[in-house]
Amino acid sequence: MKKKILLGIFLALISVVILTSCGGEKEKEKEAVSTEAQASGGHMNIALYWFGETLDPALDWDGWTLTRAAVGETLVTVDENLQLVGQLADSWENVDETTWKFHIRQGVTFQNGNPLTPEAVKSSIERTVKMNERGESALKLASIEVDGEYVVIKTKEPYGAFLANISDPMFIIVDTSADTSKFKETPICTGPYMVTSFKPATSFEAVAYENYWGGKPALDSITVFDIEDDNTRALSLQSGDVDMAQGIRAGDIALFTDNKDYIVKSTTGTRIEFLVMNTVKSSLSDKNLRLAINSAVDYDTIAKVVGGGAVPAKAPFPASAPYGYDELNKQTFDLEKTKNLLTEAGYKDTNNDGYVDKDGKNLEINVYGTAGGNTRANSTIAELLESQLKTAGIKANIKIAENLDEIKKNGEFDLLFQNWQTVSTGDSQWFLDNAFKTDGSGNYGKYSNQQLDDLINKLATTFDVKERQKITKEASQIIIDEGYGTYIVSQANVNVSNNKVENMGNFPIDYYFLKADTKINK
């Protein structure tokens, strides 16, 4: 990216823009930042590891950028303990299996000064459901009605994941009475910071909204950079070009630990790096081969080499999620088991070339990944995987492509690198629905198991939290037993700042980062 080449110069220019481009009196009123406030809190430069294409939360996954930068808010949110807590709704009630009643927090205003009303909430949610293809399936919305200070939402059917799903950043509440055509660049939300300008795939500027319902934000203004290259993000911290960065990767953490100039915060995340197994157009339609591969992977060694707080996954949900991880019969490294399973599948090394074969053909596995995104092939993991499968007599061909859309669509792979946020809304159903249900939109391995489908469907009508956790545990065991994927590591969420920063956020779910009380001491 151009900004990475000239980041220092760009930051200098940004500071000039902040000082000189405030615009007319109307723009000053919209920003709602007084001269006195600007003189107190200071400015912070922040690096994220990914931007959406726009800043309109109703589009695709673009809302994630706004929650990371404390711009947008939802009715409920997920805290550091993966618990759902109120945000723009200060209370709610599950009236019956298809009815939810939310009390809208009083005294909240949008960043243009307009009051947050139940009518505004209704309009914003309806807009997202209309514009985002995920919106309908996330809520199964039948209707939204206003009842005084309440919003009453009815679903088309009982749906236990509803409350968790409405915390998804695509349901950030925006002021639809404003000019929504500008929301791709400058959305009007309710958060501590309001966007004033946006350069796609590069950066955006935001200023404090001093009438924020949670109290005056600690900073006066922020510049948020999209720095997707891991090394560049770390170098930007070292050079002082940014004050705080999200998603510092394992290989760079040592640059900042045990260094008084930096603050490092780490927590076990809910994002899993795993491999999808093609159960239709591949030799991996044979369950024994899938299980053989899973027994050939040395999960502990891979996690140790990856480092940076990474832990072996061995299951579809990490130990940090409340789904009975310690009670599962997880994937384990066992070369003897691999040998026996390969034999059962009819594979032996008949010509002593180091690889098992069947009918005169070696067992070769094509493993696809990309350099970035949620199909990113971690180079360390890829190298270790290739070596470990070779030890087991399986030839793995690692293939890095720029785009895997057609490969995924046509099933032209054996194994596929994936990097998913498995508990993206503090609940398991979204991941299970998408990645494992027979007709799931992200079920690239074409898994189809009636017992598993039944459990996932059961989640929809189960509202008790403990029972949902029990169902998820049962589903996880089926996924492991059937060899539906290889669950390699759960990466730590590592955020780093310079030592002038206070109250940097660090959450298991990585679409939260900057907080209203995050500040910098100059």
Side-chain angles (χ1 to χ4, degrees):
M1 290 177 283
K2 291 183 179 178
K3 74 161 192 329
K4 294 174 184 175
I5 300 172
L6 299 171
L7 185 57
I9 297 173
F10 182 65
L11 288 171
L13 292 173
I14 286 295
S15 65
V16 174
V17 172
I18 294 171
L19 293 173
T20 62
S21 62
C22 294
E25 287 301 318
K26 289 184 179 180
E27 288 301 313
K28 290 179 181 178
E29 290 175 5
K30 287 182 180 179
E31 292 177 4
V33 181
S34 67
T35 302
E36 180 182 356
Q38 288 179 341
S40 61
H43 180 85
M44 183 182 287
N45 294 318
I46 300 167
L48 302 183
Y49 66 82
W50 176 84
F51 271 18
E53 291 185 6
T54 79
L55 293 182
D56 189 333
L59 298 175
D60 298 322
W61 303 87
D62 297 356
W64 290 41
T65 308
L66 300 183
T67 50
R68 285 172 174 149
V71 172
E73 299 176 312
T74 48
L75 291 183
V76 297
T77 188
V78 183
D79 68 12
E80 293 94 331
N81 300 310
L82 294 177
Q83 299 298 308
L84 288 167
V85 295
Q87 197 166 55
L88 294 180
D90 53 18
S91 66
W92 59 87
E93 177 187 1
N94 184 197
V95 179
D96 56 46
E97 287 188 338
T98 59
T99 307
W100 296 81
K101 189 174 184 179
F102 295 88
H103 182 260
I104 303 307
R105 190 180 296 276
Q106 299 300 289
V108 179
T109 58
F110 287 105
Q111 293 155 346
N112 58 3
N114 290 341
L116 175 75
T117 63
E119 289 81 6
V121 170
K122 175 180 184 292
S123 179
S124 181
I125 293 173
E126 289 175 337
R127 176 177 183 266
T128 295
V129 171
K130 180 179 180 180
M131 293 177 62
N132 195 309
E133 62 180 13
R134 296 185 295 121
E136 172 60 32
S137 62
L139 299 188
K140 299 187 185 299
L141 183 66
S143 66
I144 307 181
E145 302 295 335
V146 172
D147 181 9
E149 295 180 352
Y150 294 85
V151 169
V152 181
I153 302 178
K154 288 186 174 292
T155 59
K156 294 177 179 178
E157 58 192 53
Y159 193 46
F162 171 86
L163 186 63
N165 285 357
I166 209 167
S167 74
D168 189 297
M170 68 175 155
F171 293 111
I172 285 172
I173 304 301
V174 296
D175 185 3
T176 60
S177 70
D179 184 354
T180 58
S181 67
K182 297 181 179 179
F183 281 9
K184 289 183 179 181
E185 294 81 30
T186 52
I188 297 175
C189 308
T190 61
Y193 296 97
M194 60 177 289
V195 179
T196 57
S197 64
F198 174 56
K199 295 184 177 180
T202 302
S203 67
F204 66 86
E205 301 292 326
V207 296
Y209 179 51
E210 69 172 10
N211 293 321
Y212 176 57
W213 63 268
K216 178 184 173 183
L219 299 166
D220 298 327
S221 57
I222 58 175
T223 302
V224 183
F225 292 98
D226 177 18
I227 306 181
E228 299 188 9
D229 180 77
D230 295 342
N231 293 331
T232 304
R233 206 160 52 253
L235 287 171
S236 298
L237 271 170
Q238 289 185 300
S239 67
D241 287 337
V242 300
D243 301 296
M244 189 169 80
Q246 181 190 42
I248 299 301
R249 299 306 178 194
D252 296 316
I253 294 174
L255 299 171
F256 307 103
T257 54
D258 299 323
N259 187 326
K260 62 181 178 59
D261 294 328
Y262 299 98
I263 298 168
V264 179
K265 288 189 177 182
S266 177
T267 186
T268 301
T270 56
R271 186 175 290 278
I272 294 281
E273 294 195 40
F274 65 101
L275 294 166
V276 169
M277 292 187 165
N278 189 337
T279 62
V280 177
K281 294 183 177 181
S282 166
S283 58
L284 298 184
S285 59
D286 186 330
K287 177 181 172 180
N288 282 329
L289 284 185
R290 299 197 300 270
L291 296 178
I293 287 174
N294 287 344
S295 296
V297 176
D298 188 344
Y299 305 90
D300 294 318
T301 294
I302 291 177
K304 184 177 180 180
V305 174
V306 169
V311 296
K314 306 181 182 181
F317 293 96
S320 57
Y323 303 128
Y325 181 86
D326 292 336
E327 301 166 14
L328 292 171
N329 181 22
K330 295 180 283 293
Q331 296 171 344
T332 56
F333 175 51
D334 185 342
L335 279 178
E336 189 62 29
K337 181 178 179 180
T338 294
K339 180 180 178 181
N340 292 335
L341 287 166
L342 288 173
T343 299
E344 288 182 36
Y347 286 90
K348 291 183 179 181
D349 183 4
T350 60
N351 57 5
N352 296 317
D353 65 350
Y355 295 107
V356 296
D357 57 86
K358 181 179 180 180
D359 300 328
K361 185 178 181 181
N362 283 349
L363 177 58
E364 290 195 32
I365 302 296
N366 291 320
V367 189
Y368 281 88
T370 57
N374 69 352
T375 52
R376 180 172 72 99
N378 182 304
S379 58
T380 301
I381 294 176
E383 290 171 8
L384 289 170
L385 180 70
E386 183 178 22
S387 174
Q388 290 174 3
L389 290 181
K390 181 178 180 180
T391 300
I394 302 170
K395 183 174 178 56
N397 303 311
I398 308 295
K399 298 177 179 290
I400 306 300
E402 287 188 13
N403 188 296
L404 294 179
D405 288 348
E406 288 301 312
I407 291 171
K408 289 188 295 186
K409 179 181 177 181
N410 298 323
E412 297 171 349
F413 64 90
D414 296 304
L415 296 175
L416 179 69
F417 275 103
Q418 294 281 270
N419 184 336
W420 283 47
Q421 180 61 259
T422 61
V423 195
S424 62
T425 58
D427 185 79
S428 63
Q429 188 163 359
W430 180 85
F431 183 46
L432 292 173
D433 268 336
N434 282 273
F436 301 102
K437 199 172 178 180
T438 297
D439 58 353
S441 60
N443 183 359
Y444 305 121
K446 301 302 178 184
Y447 310 135
S448 184
N449 183 294
Q450 188 61 55
Q451 185 181 2
L452 182 58
D453 284 351
D454 289 344
L455 284 171
I456 296 172
N457 289 334
K458 187 177 179 181
L459 278 175
T461 57
T462 302
F463 294 83
D464 180 78
V465 173
K466 294 295 183 183
E467 185 62 23
R468 290 181 67 80
Q469 293 172 354
K470 180 182 176 182
I471 293 170
T472 300
K473 175 188 169 185
E474 293 177 25
S476 296
Q477 193 61 67
I478 292 174
I479 291 166
I480 294 168
D481 293 344
E482 292 297 318
Y484 292 158
T486 307
Y487 302 92
I488 305 173
V489 296
S490 177
Q491 290 275 18
N493 285 347
V494 182
N495 300 330
V496 178
S497 72
N498 62 43
N499 61 10
K500 297 182 178 71
V501 174
E502 293 184 24
N503 304 323
M504 174 174 61
N506 190 242
F507 294 76
I509 298 177
D510 60 18
Y511 55 58
Y512 301 113
F513 183 33
L514 180 67
K515 303 188 297 180
D517 64 351
T518 303
K519 63 182 180 179
I520 190 164
N521 300 308
K522 295 294 187 180

